[in-house]
Amino acid sequence: MSDIVTQMLSALFIVIIMIFGLSLIYKKKKRSAGIMDLIEYRSFGQKMGIAAMKINKEVFILGITPTDMKVIERFGEEIIEKSSINTDAQCRRKRIQRLKELKESL
């Protein structure tokens, strides 16, 4: 009886390790799949939405409908990096300003 349980547990352990290993391989392959990368997608209903895609060093904003796909805007990826830095800095400034106001009210 204990031999059967030991065999079952060892087989289960091997299967779990195989699943974990295959998932790691799949994730690594998925990351280096190609030159296109979907940054974000916002749905506006069934089969309609806006997508931001990065292809090489350019970012495309795409309008997607059930019958068509159009490029709304096209720009370099450095614009996104600069805008995210500015947004972070602006948020920090606002938080600091709020803290100063709270400090003065106390």
Side-chain angles (χ1 to χ4, degrees):
M1 179 83 171
S2 67
D3 290 335
I4 294 173
V5 172
T6 306
Q7 287 178 347
M8 284 177 48
L9 288 175
S10 62
L12 178 64
F13 183 70
I14 290 171
V15 169
I16 290 172
I17 288 176
M18 288 175 59
I19 291 172
F20 182 71
L22 289 173
S23 70
L24 287 176
I25 291 170
Y26 176 74
K27 284 181 184 178
K28 187 178 278 190
K29 186 176 180 181
K30 187 176 177 184
R31 270 186 259 156
S32 63
I35 60 171
M36 289 192 304
D37 189 24
L38 180 65
I39 298 171
E40 192 167 349
Y41 177 78
R42 296 290 169 121
S43 176
F44 295 121
Q46 190 174 11
K47 298 181 184 180
M48 293 188 302
I50 292 180
M53 289 194 72
K54 181 176 153 188
I55 301 174
N56 284 335
K57 301 233 180 220
E58 291 185 316
V59 177
F60 295 89
I61 307 296
L62 304 170
I64 301 168
T65 65
T67 58
D68 197 16
M69 183 185 325
K70 292 189 179 186
V71 176
I72 297 172
E73 188 70 37
R74 176 180 161 187
F75 47 87
E77 70 178 350
E78 64 274 353
I79 292 174
I80 291 178
E81 292 170 2
K82 288 179 185 176
S83 67
S84 64
I85 291 169
N86 291 339
T87 317
D88 291 342
Q90 290 170 354
C91 288
R92 280 191 222 112
R93 280 190 227 120
K94 287 180 183 178
R95 288 180 186 161
I96 291 170
Q97 185 64 32
R98 281 189 219 150
L99 287 172
K100 286 180 182 179
E101 290 170 1
L102 285 171
K103 182 181 173 186
E104 289 173 2
S105 67
L106 294 174

